[in-house]
Structure formats: C-alpha cells, structure tokens
Amino acid sequence: MKQAKLAVERGAVISAVDKRLYGSFIEHLGRAVYGGIYDPTHKSADEEGFRTDVMEMVKELKCPIVRYPGGNFVSGFNWEDSVGPREDRPTRLDLAWKAIEDNSFGLNEFASWASKCDSEVMLAINLGTRGIAEARDLVEYCNFPGGTKYSDLRIKHGVKKPHNIKTWCLGNEMDGPWQIGRKTPLEYGRIANEAAKVMKWVDPSIELAACGSSNKDMPLYGLWEEEVLSECYDNVDCISLHQYYRNSSGDSQSFVSKGHEMDMFIKEVAAICDKVQAKKNGKKEIMLSFDEWNVWYHSDESDKNLEPWTKAPRRLEDIYFFEDALLVGSMLVTLINNSDRVKIACLAQLVNVIAPIMAEPNGPSWKQTIFYPYLHASVNGRGTALRVLSSSPKYSCEQFSDLPHIDCAAVHSEELSQLTIFAVNRSLEDDLEVEIDLRDFAKAAMIEHIVYDSAKLDAKNGPVKSENTAPRLIAPSGANERFIEFIPKASWNVFRFSV
Ligand code: AHR
C-alpha cells in the first residue's frame, strides 16, 4: 500500500480562523426562501412560518453567518418592498431569475430566522438599479438605534432593537453581463467607494466587501480587481471571489482535484490586493470574502424547462454525487489553509438551491452528500489553522500534474484542547497508509477518525435516510504521538485528537 506522512507542530501557525469562513447563503431564488427556510403550511413551521426541521439542520451545521438576499436577485431588489405590513408589500417581477416575488418574506423575517439559527447576517446592497442613497437608508434602518426616519420605521415595523448587521456586500457580480445594472470596473469602483464611504459614516463598525470578478474565467479577471480596488481601497475591507465547479466531461480525477485551482485563484487575488496596497503605499491589507463557492451543474438541463414567472420554482436543485462531497472537502481544506487571507466564505447556497439541505414540500428535510464535509469543518474547524508538513505520493491527471494524493489542513483549538486534521485522499485508485506525527503535542490522543467514502462516486442521497451515504467512525488508535491510519481511496477524513 502507498504511504504518506503528516506532521503538525504548534508553532506552524497560518492564522486564527475567522468563524465566518464557514458561512453560507440564502437568496430569493427557487425554493431557498419559499418552501425552504419559510413554509407556513409545513407541519414543522413555527409561529413565524419557519420550518423548524430545516432550522435544526442549519443549527447542526453551526452556520456562523448567512449572506442574503442575493446573488443576482439583489441587483433588482428594493429593500423597502420587503418590510412593514405584509398586505402592503408589492408583488414584483424578479428579472434575475424570471420569477414572481411577492415579498411575503423580507429583511426583518430573515434577521429573525438567522437569530433563531444562531447565525449572523451578511447583507448585500443593490448596486445594480440603485445607489448611495438607498444603501445609506438601509444601514440606517438596520443599525441605527432610533430617532431618525428609517430607524423609527424599523421600530414601527415591530423591531425595536437594531439588527446590528456587521458584514455587508457592495452589490453582486457587477462584471457579469447577466447582472441587472452591470458596470465597467471604473463605474463599479466609483459607486462602491462612494456607497462604502457613506455606509461607514452611518455605522463605522461595519465591514464591507467589494465585488471581485464573478469567476476566474471572466474576461476582465485580474484587471477588474485591480481597477476596482484602485477606486475603493480606502473604504472597503474585502474583495469577493466566486467560483462553482462542474464535472461536465466525466473526468472525475481532475474534478476532485479542483481545490488546487481554487488555491491558485485565492493566491492570485491576494497578490493583486497587495499590488494595489503597495501602489497606494497603504497600511491596510485587503482581505478576501469567498462569498459563493460550491459545485453547480447537475440542474443545468432541468432548469431549461422551467416556466417563467412562477413563484418559487424548483430551480438550481442540484442533487449531489458523492464525488461532489470530496471536492467540497478539498475546497474547505483550501479555505482553511488560506485563512490568513480569506476571512469570509459562503457555501452557496444553504437550502434547496445548490444546497447541502433539501426540504420536501409537506415532507421531510434531508442531507445531501456535501452536507457532511461542511458540517465537520464548521464544527471542528474553529481555532488556529496550522500548516501541515506532508509527504505524500503524487498523481497526475488530465488537468493537473504532480498533485499529492493527500490534501489536508489542521486546526488547533486551545479552548477545547483539540487538534483536528481534515484530509481528502484525492486518488481514485490508491488507498493510503498515513503516519501522523504529533510529537510536538505532548500526550496527543485520538478521539475519533471519521471516514466518508462510497463504493460509487455517483452515489446520491435522498429523503429516505436508510438508503443514504453517510460518514462512519473508525476505532481510534489510542494515546500516542505517532498514529498509523488507513485512508481509503476517494475519501474525506476527519482526525480529532485531544492535545
Ligand atoms: O448562487 C447562484 C447565483 O450564482 C447567484 O445568484 C449569483 O451571484 C451567481 O452567479
């Protein structure tokens, strides 16, 4: 059997992990809101119409922050439509997704839902059809205590205490031709800067993410980030990255290796931020908000047949394969290993729409394959990210050469006296025997080794629990400082140690 070695040392610190690295996303899109988190007709609905079965799963994920209300949707959204008495809220055309939006669920309902899930809100403003004035008013509505037009309006709407939303997105994917109100980098950089300035005048404690390119393949990628940041460097804190991967060619070995591409993407954007900082002789390091990431392609064909102008159609309802969970695991490993720069990341999305959680109308909610790596990383990945020293056999595939079989990250929690190593064996051919060296941690003892593997890369989950793939536990190998562990081919592994 092929062999690999991993070693972790206390001093090899990458960064404190910002808990927002394990964020997610709810957009007014398909059945994410209506029929997902909100369904007053469902038997589990609480007094506000929130599905409590879905809420339990979100809580299990310990989702620290949820981005809202879009996505492409936000670029045509008037936030004022979504607050106040329901009977006064207008029904509108959602041009982004060719759907009907009746605004029966809005900003205050979302804030209440997030607080019931113990999550924070990451709120996006509309810089497609709107601008500085509406952004200013929205911060005032959400965060100002009272005594002004919009803070008093919030109080009149029954929300006495300000929402105190700390993390904001300055629009969404403004370089995309599909975006309502697409802009050139200069146009966007200017409006992002002016909106950011005024928003921070209303509440100086907020943190703002400017839009980077919609993905790494956009024609202006690189140039966009540089020009935008040249305009708004002084007033923003982060720039966004978005990336969805697909296995359209059927080359699963290249597909599960795409975490490597994500890693290069992050390093490139960080380098551009540093270039702008240097040009400006700036003191501030711009951080990265990877606020949309996932696998997305399974629903492409079925979405072509959707009727336009319906409310909450089954759009973007990807049913994930096991191999998608491997890539999601690798993407999480990549985020942790870049946690010195990536402070926010949102698995897009959370419920029904390219999501780890599915909710059947009048039926159960259930966990997709990608639920598990996200759960394990979010629950065990809080603390300090440590660099793992590794030697692993390497492989080459159609898209990449010389990649280590093992893709791994480590997080040390002083608070819990716990060290967790997340490891994907990306090889679809070879099992591995791995030696884990924790000599730097006196008396390290393994608490558990969780393995998630499957006989079939295209295994899927569904509403019937007994038929689903799920992680399993392997008996811990006891107290020691060097552990010899078996890692099956194509598997996601979590090693938890008390240290
Ligand atoms: O998450 C689905 C969509 O993907 C979002 O609305 C958009 O921002 C991205 O293109």
Side-chain angles (χ1 to χ4, degrees), residues 25 27-29 67 69-74 96-97 172-173 178-179 214-215 242 244 291-293 296 316 348-349 353-354:
F25 178 26
E27 176 167 4
H28 281 252
L29 193 187
R67 184 169 175 248
N72 298 336
F73 171 80
V74 80
W97 299 105
N172 179 69
E173 297 189 347
W178 57 85
Q179 202 66 221
S214 296
N215 59 65
H242 289 182
Y244 297 97
D291 45 44
E292 286 187 38
W293 66 271
W296 170 12
L316 269 70
Q349 301 192 6
V353 170
I354 43 174

Side-chain angles (χ1 to χ4, degrees), residues 243-308:
Q243 193 70 49
Y244 297 97
Y245 291 116
R246 48 197 301 123
N247 182 6
S248 24
S249 68
D251 173 10
S252 293
Q253 187 61 80
S254 296
F255 174 69
V256 301
S257 309
K258 284 179 190 279
H260 180 63
E261 211 175 279
M262 185 192 205
D263 187 58
M264 291 193 301
F265 183 22
I266 290 172
K267 292 191 163 73
E268 285 166 10
V269 176
I272 297 166
C273 293
D274 293 347
K275 180 178 173 192
V276 176
Q277 182 184 348
K279 265 196 334 199
K280 290 189 171 276
N281 201 13
K283 299 264 170 299
K284 177 173 65 179
E285 200 174 26
I286 297 289
M287 295 301 173
L288 308 187
S289 172
F290 213 126
D291 45 44
E292 286 187 38
W293 66 271
N294 201 348
V295 173
W296 170 12
Y297 74 100
H298 297 285
S299 58
D300 286 0
E301 283 309 308
S302 56
D303 281 5
K304 287 184 188 151
N305 305 321
L306 288 174
E307 272 296 310

Side-chain angles (χ1 to χ4, degrees), residues 405-457:
H405 286 38
I406 280 218
D407 189 23
C408 56
V411 179
H412 178 210
S413 163
E414 293 266 9
E415 197 188 331
L416 303 175
S417 304
Q418 185 179 299
L419 176 78
T420 305
I421 299 177
F422 304 100
V424 182
N425 182 354
R426 300 187 280 203
S427 170
L428 306 182
E429 307 284 324
D430 296 309
D431 298 331
L432 284 177
E433 187 181 83
V434 184
E435 180 187 324
I436 303 174
D437 178 348
L438 297 184
R439 274 174 296 180
D440 205 41
F441 293 86
K443 298 205 189 107
M446 190 179 287
I447 304 168
E448 61 181 8
H449 174 187
I450 305 169
V451 181
Y452 188 27
D453 59 354
S454 163
K456 285 165 61 194
L457 287 177

